[in-house]
Amino acid sequence: MGRLFGTDGVRGLANGEITAELALDLSVAAAHVLGEAGVFEGHRPTAVVGRDPRASGEFLEAAVVAGLASAGIDVVRLGILPTPGVAHLTASMGADVGVMLSASHNPMPDNGIKFFSRGGHKLDDAIEDLIEARLREPWQRPTGFGVGRVREDHDGFETYVDHLVTTVPHRLDGLTVVVDCANGAAYRTAPETLRRLGARVIPIHAEPDGWNINERCGSTHLESLAAAVVEEGADAGIAHDGDADRCLAVDAQGNVIDGDQILAILAVAMREAGALNGDTVVATVLSNLGFMLAMQREGIAVEQTKVGDRYVLEAMKAGSFTLGGEQSGHVLLLDHATTGDGVLTAAHLLARVAASGRSLGELASVMTRLPQVLVNVRGVDKARADSDPAVLAAVKAASAELGETGRVILRPSGTEPVVRVMVEAPTFEDAQRVADDLARTVEHALALS
């Protein structure tokens, strides 16, 4: 069995891999590991628990709350909030543990469990490994006054939105913005934040029913957002994923503005404001070559990491950098948040539009994207992707063919059962051809027996 924790918590099919029993056992193990690490020393421990609107989140929340309370932790139920909102409230409420139930951009049948430590920080790999190792171990259960109490908090939404609004350097008066909430956790937070900043907001896909999260909407399906922006004559469109730690955008003409372009816009704005520490931005190896060239032209250094916002965050902390992110729309603004925050990103992106007097499309032209193709290969053994001789040979041959005019990245996903093949080339046709050839090699070499 592989490692239970992926790059962003534990994730899988709800009531398949992610059962109520697992949620309870993980919560108990987390309580034990964090307690023995001295996190709870000298006081009665408290945890906050939030979720996205998935129907499965209802029973998984109950299991997590039961596990934590049975281990002697008082629990505050936050209800439906974005993942970064739970992280923020973990810190602002002085909680020892934060738990978010979400599978982010994954389809509705999936769900996941993510833990935050005191201060709203994601757990280190070593702590996650200890939690996994302690699953279902015998333990002495507290009784009487030793068990945790459970209460609901109805002020968390206001606290989080107030925080977001106070971080934004320029109001959004005069802007009309369409916001696709993915029928997810930001269905209230995103529209309310932008309205309080002065924008005219047109929300779409903002009526979650437990089943429709990410269904042909949000940051993985931008078609309806682009159409709505053009139809409404809006200045911009914003798209979030199910737990709202991502932000993608479209300009007034309906053109997609991806995470690399958002990162480039914010990097230039922060450098001009003297807020880009070290004149450096942190990105992953999947960032488009066009982003790298644009930053070089602007005199901004780029530090690259493995794919995953946790690795971006590690590099940012190590170098005391203030801005980092991924092409997928995970953007980290460490002056204001401990993790990627899609609503925060949207507000700062739109503030740059309002302050500059330039359109989003014009600002995004700071970089030119090289044609890029991403193919997800399913039904294969992703654990062998980094070592199979045939796959390695195919990647080497493709890289040699493209030379300095493109590149190839092949990697197992940290959150889904797929191998991702990414190719950049001078033309889309070249990128598609090379990516398809590599995908066929992966399917044949790594086929499950």
Side-chain angles (χ1 to χ4, degrees):
M1 179 180 174
R3 187 173 186 268
L4 185 62
F5 285 89
T7 57
D8 204 18
V10 179
R11 194 178 297 183
L13 179 65
N15 227 22
E17 297 98 343
I18 309 300
T19 62
E21 294 86 349
L22 176 63
L24 189 148
D25 292 339
L26 275 171
S27 301
V28 170
H32 292 163
V33 169
L34 294 173
E36 292 173 12
V39 173
F40 309 153
E41 192 170 337
H43 65 281
R44 187 175 175 93
T46 302
V48 296
V49 179
R51 64 181 181 89
D52 73 21
R54 292 166 210 263
S56 60
E58 296 167 2
F59 77 78
L60 290 174
E61 177 193 53
V64 166
V65 170
L68 293 171
S70 72
I73 297 179
D74 292 336
V75 182
V76 180
R77 295 174 60 231
L78 300 173
I80 296 173
L81 275 180
T83 290
V86 174
H88 174 74
L89 292 167
T90 301
S92 67
M93 295 175 67
D96 301 288
V97 185
V99 186
M100 178 67 186
L101 297 160
S102 177
S104 188
H105 61 285
N106 284 28
M108 177 275 294
D110 288 353
N111 216 322
I113 306 169
K114 186 185 307 184
F115 292 95
F116 295 100
S117 63
R118 184 183 292 169
H121 302 282
K122 290 183 179 180
L123 300 184
D124 294 336
D125 287 351
I127 297 295
E128 290 181 341
D129 288 341
L130 285 174
I131 292 171
E132 187 169 343
R134 300 284 294 274
L135 276 177
R136 304 181 184 91
E137 68 176 3
W139 59 294
Q140 185 162 352
R141 303 166 188 267
T143 58
F145 292 106
V147 302
R149 302 296 302 274
V150 181
R151 66 179 177 88
E152 294 187 4
D153 181 271
H154 301 289
D155 299 324
F157 169 79
E158 288 290 336
T159 300
Y160 176 48
V161 171
D162 285 345
H163 161 69
L164 293 172
V165 170
T166 61
T167 71
V168 182
H170 194 284
R171 287 186 56 80
L172 311 182
D173 300 285
L175 291 183
T176 296
V177 184
V178 180
V179 181
D180 184 343
C181 302
N183 290 315
Y187 78 102
R188 288 196 305 156
T189 304
E192 181 64 17
T193 299
L194 299 184
R195 285 193 187 107
R196 290 190 191 181
L197 286 166
R200 173 176 173 255
V201 180
I202 303 168
I204 62 173
H205 305 301
E207 297 181 357
D209 61 9
W211 312 112
N212 60 2
I213 187 170
N214 296 325
E215 184 179 357
R216 296 187 296 277
C217 60
S219 62
T220 53
H221 299 276
L222 296 170
E223 300 83 7
S224 61
L225 174 63
V229 168
V230 173
E231 181 180 347
E232 296 287 348
D235 297 288
I238 296 294
H240 299 298
D241 58 338
D243 70 337
D245 62 355
R246 295 187 186 195
C247 168
L248 293 180
V250 300
D251 66 16
Q253 286 71 48
N255 300 310
V256 173
I257 309 297
D258 70 11
D260 284 340
Q261 292 167 295
I262 292 171
L263 203 57
I265 292 169
L266 294 178
V268 172
M270 290 173 64
R271 193 269 314 278
E272 291 178 0
L276 189 67
N277 281 7
D279 285 345
T280 298
V281 61
V282 179
T284 76
V285 293
L286 284 187
S287 288
N288 194 279
L289 282 179
F291 170 79
M292 306 296 293
L293 294 172
M295 294 298 94
Q296 184 180 30
R297 187 176 61 250
E298 293 289 334
I300 297 173
V302 179
E303 182 164 328
Q304 288 189 287
T305 73
K306 293 190 295 183
V307 175
D309 63 335
R310 69 183 304 143
Y311 303 115
V312 174
L313 180 59
E314 288 173 3
M316 292 177 70
K317 288 181 176 179
S320 297
F321 302 128
T322 47
L323 178 65
E326 300 183 278
Q327 188 182 75
S328 60
H330 281 123
V331 175
L332 293 97
L333 293 155
L334 286 196
D335 282 344
H336 310 297
T338 60
T339 187
D341 189 325
V343 181
L344 178 74
T345 300
H348 281 254
L349 177 67
L350 294 169
R352 175 62 169 174
V353 173
S356 68
R358 301 165 67 191
S359 70
L360 180 57
E362 185 180 357
L363 290 172
S365 67
V366 68
M367 66 166 278
T368 301
R369 285 182 294 190
L370 218 64
Q372 186 181 80
V373 170
L374 177 65
V375 178
N376 291 322
V377 185
R378 301 182 182 276
V380 295
D381 181 4
K382 72 175 185 177
R384 294 191 288 120
D386 294 330
S387 60
D388 183 86
V391 171
L392 294 178
V395 170
K396 183 177 180 180
S399 298
E401 176 188 346
L402 294 172
E404 296 182 358
T405 64
R407 62 178 179 148
V408 174
I409 294 179
L410 185 147
R411 67 178 189 88
S413 169
T415 58
E416 297 181 77
V418 302
V419 172
R420 305 197 195 281
V421 177
M422 190 278 282
V423 177
E424 288 174 343
T427 68
F428 177 81
E429 290 74 19
D430 286 339
Q432 188 72 63
R433 173 180 55 80
V434 173
D436 288 343
D437 288 346
L438 276 175
R440 282 191 288 270
T441 298
V442 170
E443 286 176 337
H444 177 74
L446 305 183
L448 293 170
S449 56

